[in-house]
Amino acid sequence: MAANRWFIDSETGVLADVLLCPPDYYEWIPSNDIAIQTMAHGGNIDRAALRRQFDELVATLKSEDVSCHFLVPHENMPYEVYTRDSSQTTPFGTVVTNLSRPERVGEEKEIRSFYAPDEIWRTCTAGRIEGGDIHIIRPGLLAVGVSGGRTDAKGAAEFISWFEEAGWTCRMIHFPEHFLHLDVIFCMVAENLAIAAVDVLDEADLEWFREQGIRILPVSYREAMRDMGCNVLSLGKDRVVSPRHSVRINQMLRAEGLTVLDPELNQFSRGGGSIHCMTMPLRRQPL
C-alpha cells in the first residue's frame, strides 16, 4: 500500500473514508464521569439496541458515500469502539497516539495492524495524548485539548511541535479533566462554524477561535455531558451527523442551513462517547 493513502487537513472537508470498530465487547466502565453517573443510576446496556445503533451509524455514513473501514474488536478492550483516540490522520501521514487508560493501552497493537508501516508518520512518546483532544480545524490551524488526564501538556506540546515546524498556527485548549476530551465540549460542524459548551471554555480560548474566524453556536453543560451533544461529525458540504436525542442542537444546526443526519446513539453516549469518538476520519477531500 502506498504511503499517505490517508489524508485529512481539516475537520470539515468532504469525508471519504472513516475507521470504526464494531461494539462486540463494548461495556460501560467507570473510567469517565458520564459512565459513572449512568451506572450509579442503575443503567444497563441494551445490547440489541447497541448493535442496532452502531449498524444505523454505519448505514448513515454509507448512505452519504463514506467508505467504512473496521478494526477487529477484542474482548479485553471495552472502549476500542472509540476509534478517534488511538490514531490521528494528518496531512503528513498517520500518527499513533499515546493512550492514557490502562484498559486502552492494548489498542495500539490493533491500530498498528490496520495501518501499513509506511503509512505511520509519527508515534507520540512524550506524555499522553488521545485523538479526542486533537482538532485539525483547517489547513494551517490546529487546536489540542489539555485536561491533564487523557491528554497532558507534554503530549500536546510534542504533537503541536510537528505542526508548528510546518508553519501551522496552534493552540492548547485547557479544561477540567471532568470533561474527558475536547470533543465533549467543542466540535466543528462546517467550515468556520463550531458548536461548543461556551460556559466551559475559557474566554481567552473563545476569543482565539473568534480571531480565527470561527463562529461558535452555544451548547449547554447539560447537553454536553448528558447527551454528548457536542460530539458530532461533519461530513463536509454542510452535512453533519448528530445524535437523534440532541433535539435542540439539531434544530439549531438545521436553522443554520445544515443537513443533519441523526442516528440514535444513546447506548454509546451514556457510556461517555458518541459519533465523533466513534469515527476516525481516514481521508477527507482537501479543504
Side-chain angles (χ1 to χ4, degrees):
M1 290 182 286
N4 295 329
R5 175 171 59 136
W6 309 127
F7 171 94
I8 69 164
D9 64 4
S10 76
E11 281 272 320
T12 58
V14 173
L15 183 62
D17 293 83
V18 69
L19 181 62
L20 305 106
C21 182
D24 296 16
Y25 302 108
Y26 177 72
E27 298 287 348
W28 296 336
I29 58 176
S31 63
N32 65 79
D33 284 353
I34 299 168
I36 290 169
Q37 288 298 312
T38 297
M39 296 167 72
H41 288 87
N44 293 292
I45 292 178
D46 180 336
R47 302 212 70 86
L50 182 80
R51 171 54 70 170
R52 186 168 60 249
Q53 290 176 11
F54 181 81
D55 291 345
E56 184 181 1
L57 173 60
V58 172
T60 299
L61 293 167
K62 289 183 175 179
S63 74
E64 297 299 312
D65 298 321
V66 179
S67 295
C68 296
H69 307 259
F70 300 93
L71 295 178
V72 176
H74 292 80
E75 190 170 5
N76 61 340
M77 299 181 190
Y79 275 5
E80 190 183 5
V81 68
Y82 297 134
T83 56
R84 176 73 58 162
D85 295 326
S86 50
S87 67
Q88 175 65 57
T89 313
T90 79
F92 319 112
T94 294
V95 174
V96 176
T97 59
N98 197 4
L99 295 165
S100 174
R101 294 285 303 184
E103 67 272 8
R104 301 202 66 183
V105 171
E107 295 176 31
E108 180 177 343
K109 182 178 179 181
E110 176 61 21
I111 278 294
R112 291 189 181 278
S113 71
F114 174 79
Y115 294 109
D118 59 359
E119 291 173 339
I120 296 175
W121 174 57
R122 303 267 189 166
T123 296
C124 298
T125 58
R128 300 291 182 182
I129 186 167
E130 299 186 351
D133 282 315
I134 298 168
H135 290 250
I136 299 175
I137 295 173
R138 63 173 182 251
L141 188 64
L142 170 73
V144 178
V146 179
S147 68
R150 301 305 179 92
T151 296
D152 59 27
K154 286 185 178 179
E158 179 185 47
F159 191 90
I160 283 172
S161 71
W162 302 329
F163 283 74
E164 288 181 334
E165 289 170 4
W168 285 50
T169 297
C170 305
R171 185 176 180 89
M172 290 188 196
I173 307 292
H174 294 269
F175 58 92
E177 187 177 350
H178 167 66
F179 295 103
L180 189 65
H181 288 130
L182 182 58
D183 64 6
V184 174
I185 55 176
F186 172 89
C187 262
M188 300 296 297
V189 293
E191 191 172 353
N192 297 325
L193 183 64
I195 57 176
V198 294
D199 289 341
V200 173
L201 290 170
D202 190 87
E203 182 57 38
D205 294 323
L206 292 171
E207 179 60 27
W208 181 80
F209 283 121
R210 287 191 287 266
E211 290 171 354
Q212 311 310 316
I214 296 169
R215 184 162 60 93
I216 294 180
L217 304 174
V219 171
S220 70
Y221 172 90
R222 178 175 293 180
E223 289 169 325
M225 292 296 284
R226 180 194 63 193
D227 299 335
M228 294 295 290
C230 286
N231 201 264
V232 302
L233 177 70
S234 169
L235 301 183
K237 291 186 176 178
D238 293 331
R239 299 167 297 157
V240 62
V241 187
S242 177
R244 188 168 303 148
H245 57 257
S246 294
V247 176
R248 189 201 68 83
I249 293 171
N250 293 343
Q251 290 174 341
M252 178 174 63
L253 295 175
R254 290 184 175 112
E256 293 287 332
L258 302 183
T259 297
V260 178
L261 306 156
D262 57 352
E264 185 55 76
L265 284 166
N266 67 343
Q267 295 299 305
F268 296 95
S269 62
R270 295 175 72 200
S274 192
I275 296 163
H276 197 267
C277 297
M278 295 168 66
T279 53
M280 179 63 250
L282 295 169
R283 186 162 57 92
R284 290 185 185 269
Q285 292 180 11
L287 193 62

